Amino acid sequence: MKIVVASGNKAKLREIAQIFQGYEIVSMQEAGFTDDIEENGSTFEENALIKARAVSRALGVNALADDSGICVEALGGAPGVHSARFCGRHGDDAANNALLLEKLKDVPQDRHRAYFESCVALCFADGREITASGRTYGRILEKAEGEGGFGYDPLFYSDELGMSFGLASAEEKNAVSHRGKALAALAEKLKGMKL
């Protein structure tokens, strides 16, 4: 089955293709979708559905979207759905990380608990929709560790891995990540559907 991913983020696209094997994964740009999609939902699920619906309806294809972010306990769950544009600009990882560290600089390390959350939505060309979510728990480090991953990965210490996502290999991260868990749950739901 061919699935068009509603994202322009190359790192996220690569991660989805690594995790969601057995399907032909194509970026929305490759499929011919170049419009901007306004992510104005208040939850990860709402934003994932907004993106997947936009691409699916415009192109008449099966479209997959992920919306994800980091939720920090001491910040009341922020940046949450605003993770990619926390600093005010979309996708500026360095500025987002710097702002997160700035906001936590006077917060004791034991209050740096955080989790990554991902919701994935798959909208079929025939109008059916399914969603699944995943979380991974850890804490925010006082400084970046490692060069791997993207986004907040170098600042996120994974409880399951015992290291930052920035130090983990793609395989290690995908085995425990929020996106990996969400995509695995989605794949399970797909097994029970008539495609």
Side-chain angles (χ1 to χ4, degrees):
M1 181 170 81
K2 181 177 172 180
I3 297 174
V4 177
V5 178
S7 176
N9 183 323
K10 288 184 171 63
K12 187 182 281 190
L13 193 73
R14 186 170 53 250
E15 207 169 87
I16 289 170
Q18 287 168 342
I19 296 167
F20 221 56
Q21 295 183 2
Y23 297 91
E24 182 189 349
I25 303 295
V26 179
S27 74
M28 64 184 190
Q29 290 86 353
E30 289 173 289
F33 186 94
T34 55
D35 295 349
D36 284 332
I37 302 168
E38 187 182 354
E39 298 173 45
N40 54 11
S42 59
T43 66
F44 294 117
E45 183 177 54
E46 285 174 12
N47 282 334
L49 281 165
I50 287 167
K51 292 185 278 189
R53 283 175 186 149
V55 173
S56 180
R57 290 172 183 170
L59 302 178
V61 296
N62 303 319
L64 174 75
D66 153 87
D67 197 56
S68 54
I70 195 154
C71 304
V72 183
E73 194 177 282
L75 302 180
V81 294
H82 304 291
S83 292
R85 54 191 179 278
F86 192 39
C87 68
R89 294 180 304 282
H90 194 279
D92 188 337
D93 291 351
N96 286 334
N97 282 317
L99 180 59
L100 182 59
L101 289 176
E102 173 66 24
K103 288 194 175 284
L104 291 172
K105 74 175 195 262
D106 297 323
V107 177
Q109 185 67 37
D110 64 354
R111 292 195 51 234
H112 283 213
R113 299 294 308 154
Y115 62 86
F116 268 121
E117 182 168 346
S118 168
C119 181
V120 290
L122 181 56
C123 294
F124 293 90
D126 64 12
R128 289 177 297 165
E129 298 177 345
I130 55 172
T131 63
S133 295
R135 281 187 183 181
T136 189
Y137 293 88
R139 62 183 162 85
I140 303 301
L141 296 163
E142 292 177 332
K143 62 180 177 28
E145 291 185 6
E147 303 287 321
F150 62 97
Y152 298 93
D153 286 354
L155 289 179
F156 182 76
Y157 179 91
S158 163
D159 288 345
E160 289 172 276
L161 294 180
M163 68 175 113
S164 83
F165 273 176
L167 291 171
S169 69
E171 294 74 24
E172 287 170 328
K173 179 189 169 188
N174 291 344
V176 302
S177 79
H178 51 305
R179 192 169 298 111
K181 290 174 181 177
L183 287 167
L186 192 75
E188 276 304 308
K189 288 185 179 183
L190 271 175
K191 285 179 186 172
M193 294 179 71
K194 187 175 180 186
L195 301 177

